[in-house]
Amino acid sequence: MYNSRRVLSLIVFAQFCCTSLWFAGNGVMDDLRRTFDLDLSALAHLTSAVQLGFIAGTLIFAFLSIADRFSPSKVFFYSAIFGALFNLGMLWENNSAGGLLALRFLTGFSLAGIYPVGMKIASDYYKNGLGTALGFLVGALVVGTAFPHLLKALTGNETLPWKLVLYITSALAAVGGTIILLLVPDGPYRRPMLIRNFSAFISVFKLKDFRAAAFGYFGHMWELYAFWAFVPIILAMYEQRHPHLSMNISLMSFIIIGCGGISCAAGGYISRRFGSKRTAATALFLSGLCCLLSPLFILQASVEILLIFLIFWGFAVVADSPLFSTLVAKNAPEEARGTALTIVNSIGFAITILSIQLLNSLASEIHPAYLYLFLAPGPIAGLLLFFRTK
């Protein structure tokens, strides 16, 4: 008999360890730019390379129904090991811009076997209380994503060389994968796909409730990663406009992004009382409102007010993610749940590339304070389609 709390804690810790690979490049971006002579657009391009790799990986995983046909724990382990190796590849002294892009792409490809597969593993253990379980799981993703910024913050006093950030994140990924392989066997509610169904990743969209949850998730993803990617840029811009300030931008970026881990866990508990649909819609509304109000807070003179606003946004922007994933999982056929989670993730992350590149192209054309306005259409469209599809 398995201990559900022990299993969840192991999955959450492993997810945190492995998803630290996601923004490992972002956390040491300035060092990469100096070491390999990259231009200012490197942030958007390297971030998009990870997203593009994740999309390619999830499309292949979904088409082949990898998480439903094979042991999810083994898929998670091998993906974590390969992701750790590709992450270490950035340390090679003869890397070029193209080589770094390829390595980040392959890291993103590996993450396709970690994030959605981790949710699949959790759904195989939790028939009830899945929303709470996924809240902790996505919370681990958020903190793992923010973690390289915290590691980089330590380099401010030269206590942690930037290359050590990559060593640590790769080691964490290997540890996380090993934990899943050795300590988290396939769950009791797993229903393996006995007959190959290559159309499962399309047929799930014929289900109305599944479609509604997916559309809400897509609107949320238009905003999420672009917000995260540009937090350091917004803070740097604000510091330049106020020369008397001296912020630890890496540390503040970690706090703003990482605080979303708390809201993911809290959202799971709140949804028990108000329901996943209402809780997810409320969070999406609040984050969309933050998009619209962002110029007012970025242009005002109080750094304390700006940081409070960005931290609140960091809470709201990701709180709905595990709830939409819960709705996706609950409204997908049991035998195709892994495929459904994977294809929705794939489309969602494809959307993040568009929003990141849009902000990147606009950054040189408009004042940075107005960049986040272009993220508002995501939450607005997501809410409209979420309720209209219902």
Side-chain angles (χ1 to χ4, degrees):
M1 183 65 180
Y2 71 93
N3 184 313
S4 60
R5 290 187 178 180
R6 174 180 174 275
V7 168
L8 179 60
S9 64
L10 290 172
I11 299 173
V12 166
F13 181 69
Q15 189 85 306
F16 158 75
C17 289
C18 294
T19 54
S20 65
L21 297 173
W22 216 306
F23 268 24
N26 296 60
V28 295
M29 185 61 66
D30 289 340
D31 300 282
L32 291 175
R33 285 177 51 202
R34 285 193 297 268
T35 304
F36 299 109
D37 193 27
L38 305 178
D39 58 33
L40 292 175
S41 64
L43 170 68
H45 295 328
L46 289 177
T47 303
S48 294
V50 179
Q51 310 299 78
L52 188 59
F54 183 84
I55 294 161
T58 49
L59 283 174
I60 292 174
F61 276 53
F63 179 73
L64 298 177
S65 299
I66 297 293
D68 291 310
R69 292 171 51 210
F70 302 102
S71 167
S73 296
K74 291 181 179 179
V75 173
F76 190 104
F77 169 74
Y78 288 116
S79 298
I81 296 301
F82 279 111
L85 293 174
F86 294 133
N87 190 56
L88 286 176
M90 288 193 290
L91 296 171
W92 187 44
E93 294 181 356
N94 293 325
N95 268 324
S96 62
L100 289 171
L101 286 171
L103 287 166
R104 295 312 286 158
F105 174 90
L106 292 170
T107 302
F109 191 99
S110 301
L111 284 162
I114 294 171
Y115 175 42
V117 174
M119 289 193 292
K120 160 65 175 171
I121 294 172
S123 70
D124 288 341
Y125 276 92
Y126 285 85
K127 204 169 186 71
N128 298 314
L130 180 60
T132 302
L134 292 187
F136 282 104
L137 201 62
V138 179
L141 162 73
V142 175
V143 179
T145 301
F147 189 61
H149 286 295
L150 177 61
L151 290 177
K152 183 60 175 68
L154 299 177
T155 66
N157 296 321
E158 298 183 354
T159 58
L160 188 65
W162 70 270
K163 291 184 177 181
L164 194 54
V165 173
L166 301 181
Y167 283 119
I168 291 174
T169 50
S170 290
L172 284 174
V175 168
T178 303
I179 286 174
I180 293 295
L181 179 68
L182 299 181
L183 301 178
V184 185
D186 295 336
Y189 299 114
R190 179 177 179 243
R191 298 290 181 269
M193 184 180 288
L194 301 178
I195 301 175
R196 296 182 183 183
N197 182 2
F198 293 123
S199 65
F201 73 106
I202 296 176
S203 60
V204 289
F205 282 95
K206 296 178 181 179
L207 304 172
K208 185 176 67 171
D209 289 340
F210 176 89
R211 222 168 39 242
F215 286 151
Y217 179 80
F218 298 155
H220 146 80
M221 289 299 283
W222 173 265
E223 176 191 12
L224 179 63
Y225 273 83
F227 170 73
W228 282 350
F230 279 82
V231 161
I233 293 177
I234 295 298
L235 292 176
M237 178 276 297
Y238 192 87
E239 189 176 55
Q240 290 174 2
R241 290 182 60 245
H242 302 84
H244 63 284
L245 294 177
S246 180
M247 287 189 290
N248 187 326
I249 292 176
S250 292
L251 179 60
M252 294 313 305
S253 296
F254 167 75
I255 293 172
I256 292 166
I257 297 171
C259 69
I262 300 173
S263 66
C264 286
Y269 286 106
I270 293 171
S271 67
R272 288 183 175 182
R273 178 172 181 179
F274 297 102
S276 295
K277 299 172 188 175
R278 183 185 299 180
T279 308
T282 301
L284 190 57
F285 171 80
L286 289 174
S287 60
L289 187 62
C290 288
C291 294
L292 296 173
L293 295 177
S294 58
L296 298 178
F297 288 92
I298 295 173
L299 291 172
Q300 56 81 45
S302 171
V303 66
E304 291 81 7
I305 292 177
L306 174 66
L307 292 177
I308 290 172
F309 169 72
L310 290 176
I311 289 172
F312 174 80
W313 197 352
F315 270 97
V317 73
V318 73
D320 49 358
S321 192
L323 301 174
F324 283 126
S325 295
T326 300
L327 293 170
V328 166
K330 284 185 174 180
N331 291 297
E334 286 187 359
E335 71 279 3
R337 187 176 292 155
T339 298
L341 285 166
T342 303
I343 191 60
V344 168
N345 270 263
S346 180
I347 297 172
F349 278 86
I351 291 170
T352 68
I353 292 182
L354 298 178
S355 58
I356 289 171
Q357 291 297 331
L358 174 63
L359 295 198
N360 184 53
S361 64
L362 291 172
S364 60
E365 304 295 331
I366 64 174
H367 193 286
Y370 299 103
L371 282 177
Y372 281 151
L373 285 174
F374 293 88
L375 299 182
I380 293 171
L383 284 170
L384 291 174
L385 292 170
F386 180 55
F387 287 107
R388 181 173 296 177
T389 306
K390 295 296 291 177

